[in-house]
Amino acid sequence: NAGVMQNPRHLVRRRGQEARLRCSPMKGHSHVYWYRQLPEEGLKFMVYLQKENIIDESGMPKERFSAEFPKEGPSILRIQQVVRGDSAAYFCASSPRQGYTEAFFGQGTRLTVV
Amino acid sequence: QQPVQSPQAVILREGEDAVINCSSSKALYSVHWYRQKHGEAPVFLMILLKGGEQKGHEKISASFNEKKQQSSLYLTASQLSYSGTYFCGTGPPGETSGSRLTFGEGTQLTVNP
């Protein structure tokens, strides 16, 4: 049973470009969470999605950031018009159902904005 | 509000013990402990759900004191494989799930031979 898969592992974007980060949850998992980790800092919750629904986006910046988890396919975190401050590691985690105590994390996408 | 972890970093020799603390200014409903090795995914260690409860994972155990609003992670007879950054995470009020956690800044643990 493959774990949470994130791609790409590393992404370099120039300022002003768009970044699309993909996350395929573990098989059978329908709940996905995105976290951002700035260098030398802890993980910060961004958004919680269930298939085709955004459950909680209280940690998402108001502009330029969006997330989706379609019925088919991976969850996508999209960052428009990236700025240097967006450089970070973005982690996705999944769980099989609401209320499940353990979150299974992917290996992250390291975004570098140049 | 983000929980506060202490110490920020600790260096041990193999076989030594360590304690990592996690405190919150808000009431705690659940405390989740994760370990992250450099460049890798955070890995779940354990969850504490009740005050005063201790859970164990091999030679790693943890306690949860609701009154003091803190949790402590105990690593005994440390092994080289314990090296990594340890994060505590707290959930929203009334929730025990692993979603929407607020993580501390982490404690970097280095175990040397």
Side-chain angles (χ1 to χ4, degrees):
Chain A
N1 189 11
V4 177
M5 304 298 291
Q6 289 189 249
N7 66 80
R9 291 291 308 277
H10 300 274
L11 182 62
V12 179
R13 283 287 176 266
R14 294 189 182 278
R15 281 179 293 173
Q17 290 185 320
E18 178 180 289
R20 289 171 70 89
L21 288 62
R22 286 177 289 278
C23 168
S24 296
M26 287 181 70
K27 189 176 180 181
H29 288 196
S30 58
H31 296 253
V32 164
Y33 329 103
W34 285 92
Y35 287 84
R36 176 164 63 176
Q37 186 175 37
L38 294 169
E40 308 301 324
E41 292 189 15
L43 297 136
K44 300 283 193 287
F45 168 76
M46 298 181 75
V47 62
Y48 169 21
L49 308 110
Q50 197 182 353
K51 285 280 187 181
E52 299 185 280
N53 286 311
I54 296 175
I55 307 298
D56 182 351
E57 55 182 349
S58 58
M60 286 277 271
K62 293 284 184 275
E63 297 175 350
R64 303 187 297 108
F65 285 72
S66 62
E68 62 175 7
F69 188 16
K71 189 176 179 181
E72 301 290 337
S75 174
I76 306 285
L77 180 67
R78 184 181 174 208
I79 311 171
Q80 295 178 289
Q81 298 175 313
V82 295
V83 300
R84 288 249 171 90
D86 296 333
S87 294
Y90 292 83
F91 287 92
C92 163
S94 73
S95 65
R97 59 181 182 274
Q98 191 173 6
Y100 199 78
T101 54
E102 180 177 350
F104 298 83
F105 280 84
Q107 291 198 297
T109 293
R110 277 146 187 85
L111 172 67
T112 303
V113 179
V114 297
Chain B
Q1 194 143 358
Q2 188 177 30
V4 177
Q5 288 186 235
S6 63
Q8 286 187 314
V10 59
I11 299 174
L12 301 173
R13 287 201 180 276
E14 205 172 359
E16 290 182 336
D17 302 339
V19 180
I20 299 172
N21 299 304
C22 173
S23 350
S24 173
S25 58
K26 290 185 171 181
L28 291 175
Y29 292 87
S30 63
V31 178
H32 306 238
W33 285 96
Y34 283 78
R35 177 172 63 206
Q36 183 181 28
K37 294 184 182 283
H38 185 69
E40 296 184 10
V43 174
F44 176 79
L45 292 176
M46 66 187 74
I47 178 175
L48 286 304
L49 295 175
K50 292 181 182 178
E53 186 170 356
Q54 290 199 334
K55 290 269 189 180
H57 175 77
E58 297 177 347
K59 291 182 180 176
I60 301 174
S61 61
S63 63
F64 179 18
N65 189 316
E66 277 182 78
K67 280 188 178 178
K68 291 185 178 179
Q69 295 173 188
Q70 71 180 35
S71 175
S72 296
L73 189 71
Y74 306 94
L75 300 101
T76 57
S78 58
Q79 304 169 15
L80 295 176
S81 61
Y82 287 4
S83 293
T85 302
Y86 289 78
F87 293 99
C88 69
T90 58
E95 263 193 42
T96 58
S97 75
S99 66
R100 297 183 280 189
L101 295 176
T102 301
F103 284 98
E105 296 278 328
T107 295
Q108 191 170 346
L109 178 77
T110 304
V111 181
N112 292 320

